[in-house]
Amino acid sequence: MSAFSASQDSGPQFVSVQHLTAVPEFRARKESLPPLRLTRRGRVVLIGIPLVLIAALLFLLAGFLNAPAKAADSAADLSLTPTVSVTVQPGQSLWGIAAAVSPERDPRDVIADIVQLNNLTAGTVLPGQQLFVPAK
């Protein structure tokens, strides 16, 4: 009989774990692995990205803590803007109203105040519209 047919007749052979660990080649391979080395890209990924995320988080928290959303520290510090009600005449624009109301100020600043006081979304006004404008 050939060696091939003899191995078929005897069935599968099992090797124990103790036998594998006792073989010196397996132990030698395990001990001879080089130490893990990080490349430059690996250091950037491992150290740089978390540092950037932490810095962004700190800036975000600093923005929340120093938010200019507070109008004043107390109600006594609040001041009202003196306003006058004006009715828009046909042919008038915000620029003309701003120049007539406060000729000594820059019309762009007065227009910004008018838009803020009246919650205007567009820069157009309609004849007959009532606007609050800052008083002189």
Side-chain angles (χ1 to χ4, degrees):
M1 291 194 130
S2 70
F4 180 71
S5 64
S7 65
Q8 284 181 350
D9 293 337
S10 64
Q13 294 183 2
F14 295 103
V15 178
S16 69
V17 174
Q18 289 83 13
H19 177 69
L20 288 177
T21 55
V23 177
E25 295 121 23
F26 288 108
R27 259 194 249 144
R29 261 196 246 161
K30 187 190 251 184
E31 293 170 2
S32 67
L33 289 176
L36 182 64
R37 291 182 6 201
L38 281 176
T39 62
R40 183 176 182 197
R41 185 185 318 166
R43 282 190 298 271
V44 167
V45 169
L46 190 65
I47 297 169
I49 291 177
L51 284 178
V52 168
L53 291 175
I54 289 171
L57 181 66
L58 289 176
F59 280 123
L60 183 68
L61 289 175
F64 281 135
L65 295 176
N66 295 327
K70 289 192 316 185
D73 289 330
S74 67
D77 293 340
L78 294 175
S79 63
L80 295 175
T81 303
T83 59
V84 178
S85 180
V86 174
T87 303
V88 178
Q89 301 299 318
Q92 275 189 322
S93 65
L94 281 176
W95 190 272
I97 295 170
V101 171
S102 295
E104 70 281 350
R105 290 181 58 197
D106 185 7
R108 292 173 289 201
D109 293 336
V110 179
I111 290 172
D113 291 342
I114 293 171
V115 167
Q116 184 179 13
L117 285 171
N118 296 286
N119 293 328
L120 299 176
T121 56
T124 59
V125 289
L126 302 172
Q129 185 176 2
Q130 293 285 329
L131 293 177
F132 292 109
V133 294
K136 294 181 181 180

